[in-house]
Amino acid sequence: MKTNWKGLVLVGLISSASTLAGFKLFSDNDGKDVIFKEAPAESITRFTSTGTPVGAPGDFVYAAEATTPTVVHIKSTMTRQASRGGGQQIPDIFRDFFGDEFEGGSRGPQSQEASGSGVIISSDGYIVTNNHVVEGAQELEVTLHNKSKFRAKVIGTDPSTDIAVIKVEAKELPAVTLGNSDAVKVGEWVVAVGNPFNLESTVTAGIVSAKGRGLGIIGQSRRGRGVTPASAASVDSPLESFIQTDAVVNPGNSGGALVNLKGELIGINTAIASPTGSFAGYAFAVPSSIVKKVSSDLIKFGNVQRGYLGIALDDLDSRKAEEYGVKVNDGVYVREFTENSAAKAGGVNKGDVIVKVDGVNIHSIPELQQSIGLHKPGDKVSLTVNRDGKEKELDITLRNRTGGSDILKRDESAAIMNALGAQFGNLSDQEKQRLSRYKLDGGVKVVSIDGGKFARSQVEEGFIITKVNGKPVRSVKEFQAAIAGKEESMVQFEGLYPDAPYDVYSFGFRL
C-alpha cells in the first residue's frame, strides 16, 4: 500500500528545538577550497558504497569507532519575544517533546537553548550541519567527542538543501571520510551517529529503505503556509533527494552523520516522518554528494553556485502519460520554461520527457534536481529526452538563477534582509497620521513573515517598527540603512501594533 505522506507529521527539524533564521552568512576564506577526505571511487553497479560486493556483511563496531570522534554536539542560544497573548504559540506536536517550558507569561525577550549535531569535514575546524540547527541562534557552542568546547561561527547556510557550514578555531581535528552516496544500495546497512535528546555520541543502525525521496519539507513555511513547489526554478527552490533509512533518528540527531560500514559519510541526518514527533520507522538524510557540493561552495564563495535548467516539471506515471499524450510513463515531463531558460536555449521542447542526465536514468523530479544541482552555472550536461517516442540527446549549458552563466556573489544587504525572514513596507498617509497622535512621525510595517529571525521573535504581521538601535526609522529605506553593516552585531528593534499604540515592544538578536 502506498504511504500517504500527507497523513504523517513530517518533522524536518529534528534538533532538540527548531531554531529559525540566520546569523551573518559570511566566508573569511574567500577563494578557499575545503580539503575533504574522500573514499576511493567504486563501481556503482556491482558494489555497495563500502566497496564490498552487494550482499556482503559488514562491521558495525568499525563504523561506529571511525565516525563517533568526528560527530559534534551543537548547542544554540537564542532570544525571542513572547507573543501578544502572553505566551508563545508552539504547535502541539513540538510541545510534545519540547515541553511546556516554552510557554512564556512575559512579553519581554526570553533566552532559550536548542541542540543538534554536526560532522567535522576538515581537520582545521569546518563542520557541516543542518541549516535549521543554526538558524536564529545568537551563539553556537560546539562540544567535541573529547568534551572540548568551542564557540563556532557560521560560514554559510543553504536553506534550499537545509545544509550549513560552521567553523571552530581548532587544528588537527578528526575529520570524517566522504563516501559515495550515489553508490549506496537499497538494503545496504548504515549507521547513524548523533546526539538525540542531548544523549551525546549515540549510535544506531539500520538499512537504506529508499533513495531519491522528495518530501516537500524543505522550503515549507514554519508558519504553515504551504510548500515551495519542487519544480520551481528560483534561488529558494528546494533540492530534495533524501536517503531514507530505518536507523533510529530522533530530535537532536539533526546534522549528524549517516555512514556506511566503512565509516564513510553518505548523508547528513535531517528529518523524520512520524505521527508523534519521535522516531516511528523512517528517517531521511541529505546525500553526501549534495553535502560536498553545498559545503564546498559555502566555504569558497559564501553561497551555493547552483546550475539551473529553467523549466517547470512534473513526475510521470501511466495516468499522466495518457493525460499529456506522451509515449513513456517514466521520466520527468517538461511543462513550461522560465525566462532565459537554459533548457529551452539548448533545444528542449515543451512536452519533452527527460529520461537521462549524463547517461544516468532519471525517474523522478528529485533525481533530476540532484543531478543538475550538483553542477554550477556554465557547466555542460548531456540531457536525453524522449520526444514523440524517440530519444534525442541534447547538450545543455546550465545557467544561474538570473539566466546568466557567471558565478553569483552574495549580496550582503540582501543576505541580511533574507535572514530577517520578513517583508517590510512603508506606512500609508492614513497610518502616519494616526501615529502622529502618539507623537510618532513614522515607522516601517511588517507586511509578512516567512520564517527567519522575525518568526522566532514572535512579532506578528502588522507590527510597526519605530526604532532600530534606539534611532527612529520612518521608511523601508531608513530601515535598510539602519541594519546595513550590522553583521555579527546585536540589533535592537522597538515598535508597536496599531490597535494598541501604547504597548511598546522591544526585542533584539544578532544579525
Side-chain angles (χ1 to χ4, degrees):
M1 181 179 68
K2 183 176 181 180
T3 302
N4 181 6
W5 292 109
K6 294 183 179 179
L8 297 176
V9 176
L10 289 171
V11 184
L13 315 180
I14 54 174
S15 52
S16 292
S18 58
T19 58
L20 294 176
F23 268 74
K24 169 191 174 189
L25 308 184
F26 66 95
S27 173
D28 56 356
N29 294 270
D30 292 340
K32 175 183 174 63
D33 289 309
V34 64
I35 306 301
F36 295 102
K37 289 172 60 181
E38 294 191 65
E42 304 285 357
S43 167
I44 294 179
T45 56
R46 296 174 51 215
F47 299 94
T48 67
S49 66
T50 64
T52 57
V54 173
D59 188 348
F60 296 113
V61 175
Y62 180 86
E65 290 182 346
T67 307
T68 301
T70 72
V71 176
V72 304
H73 182 260
I74 300 174
K75 182 175 74 175
S76 61
T77 304
M78 77 186 88
T79 300
R80 54 184 177 182
Q81 182 80 14
S83 65
R84 297 173 69 187
Q88 298 190 48
Q89 303 302 312
I90 304 298
D92 289 339
I93 184 61
F94 292 115
R95 191 179 293 108
D96 285 344
F97 56 89
F98 295 156
D100 290 332
E101 66 271 15
F102 278 82
E103 297 293 341
S106 165
R107 288 182 177 179
Q110 301 175 357
S111 179
Q112 296 179 350
E113 293 182 350
S115 66
S117 305
V119 184
I120 302 171
I121 57 174
S122 68
S123 61
D124 55 350
Y126 286 99
I127 298 168
V128 68
T129 184
N130 284 137
N131 176 57
H132 73 257
V133 170
V134 302
E135 275 189 315
Q138 294 174 342
E139 292 185 1
L140 288 178
E141 182 184 79
V142 169
T143 303
L144 305 184
H145 180 62
N146 64 6
K147 307 301 181 182
S148 298
K149 296 181 183 294
F150 297 88
R151 182 174 177 178
K153 63 182 179 182
V154 176
I155 299 301
T157 67
D158 180 37
S160 70
T161 56
D162 199 17
I163 291 297
V165 175
I166 63 177
K167 190 177 189 301
V168 297
E169 294 304 319
K171 301 294 184 182
E172 299 182 0
L173 298 180
V176 75
T177 299
L178 243 62
N180 182 2
S181 57
D182 293 333
V184 171
K185 302 294 183 184
V186 174
E188 179 178 344
W189 283 106
V190 289
V191 172
V193 183
N195 306 284
F197 304 114
N198 280 318
L199 299 173
E200 297 181 9
S201 302
T202 296
V203 178
T204 59
I207 63 168
V208 173
S209 306
K211 294 176 61 178
R213 288 292 195 206
L215 306 176
I217 58 173
I218 294 181
Q220 185 172 358
S221 171
R222 307 299 197 258
R223 295 172 64 87
R225 294 178 182 167
V227 179
T228 303
S231 58
S234 69
V235 64
D236 296 320
S237 172
L239 199 168
E240 293 187 355
S241 187
F242 293 117
I243 297 173
Q244 179 181 320
T245 175
D246 64 356
V248 177
V249 171
N250 273 303
N253 275 108
S254 277
L258 184 69
V259 300
N260 59 27
L261 295 190
K262 290 176 67 177
E264 298 165 349
L265 186 74
I266 59 169
I268 293 295
N269 295 315
T270 299
I272 57 178
S274 169
T276 64
S278 295
F279 183 76
Y282 300 107
F284 304 91
V286 179
S288 61
S289 58
I290 295 177
V291 174
K292 178 185 176 183
K293 160 67 176 173
V294 171
S295 59
S296 296
D297 283 356
L298 292 177
I299 292 169
K300 187 172 183 178
F301 304 108
N303 60 351
V304 178
Q305 304 301 320
R306 183 172 164 188
Y308 289 89
L309 286 172
I311 50 181
L313 309 167
D314 200 359
D315 279 321
L316 281 180
D317 54 27
S318 58
R319 182 175 298 177
K320 286 187 177 179
E322 183 178 355
E323 177 186 339
Y324 288 130
V326 295
K327 305 294 185 181
V328 292
N329 57 19
D330 190 21
V332 177
Y333 181 79
V334 178
R335 289 193 292 110
E336 298 287 349
F337 296 104
T338 63
E339 188 177 356
N340 298 320
S341 167
K344 186 176 182 179
V348 176
N349 292 343
K350 180 180 176 181
D352 284 348
V353 178
I354 300 173
V355 295
K356 294 180 182 180
V357 175
D358 291 332
V360 178
N361 291 330
I362 297 296
H363 306 286
S364 65
I365 288 175
E367 289 181 351
L368 176 62
Q369 287 184 315
Q370 180 177 356
S371 297
I372 299 301
L374 297 179
H375 293 278
K376 65 180 183 297
D379 285 354
K380 289 187 177 181
V381 297
S382 175
L383 218 61
T384 303
V385 300
N386 188 294
R387 182 181 300 168
D388 299 325
K390 297 181 179 179
E391 290 192 355
K392 184 177 181 64
E393 192 169 312
L394 303 169
D395 290 327
I396 310 295
T397 301
L398 300 179
R399 297 180 177 179
N400 57 36
R401 64 178 182 269
T402 65
S405 59
D406 297 331
I407 296 296
L408 294 180
K409 294 184 177 180
R410 185 168 53 86
D411 185 333
E412 295 289 343
S413 176
I416 293 177
M417 295 298 288
N418 184 61
L420 294 179
Q423 300 294 320
F424 305 94
N426 293 318
L427 300 182
S428 65
D429 291 339
Q430 184 178 0
E431 289 169 327
K432 289 179 181 178
Q433 184 177 3
R434 183 179 180 186
L435 284 181
S436 67
R437 303 173 190 170
Y438 308 101
K439 298 182 180 180
L440 295 171
D441 56 357
V444 175
K445 181 190 291 186
V446 179
V447 177
S448 65
I449 300 175
D450 304 309
K453 289 182 179 293
F454 265 70
R456 281 303 173 188
S457 72
Q458 294 298 307
V459 167
E460 299 172 9
E461 292 176 1
F463 185 79
I464 297 174
I465 299 170
T466 57
K467 293 182 180 180
V468 176
N469 286 342
K471 295 183 179 180
V473 291
R474 305 170 185 85
S475 65
V476 173
K477 186 176 181 179
E478 288 187 5
F479 176 76
Q480 291 175 328
I483 62 175
K486 296 297 190 297
E487 300 91 341
E488 278 291 280
S489 301
M490 285 294 297
V491 177
Q492 195 74 18
F493 301 88
E494 186 176 305
L496 50 83
Y497 290 95
D499 59 350
Y502 289 112
D503 291 336
V504 177
Y505 292 82
S506 179
F507 60 97
F509 40 72
R510 185 183 298 273
L511 290 180

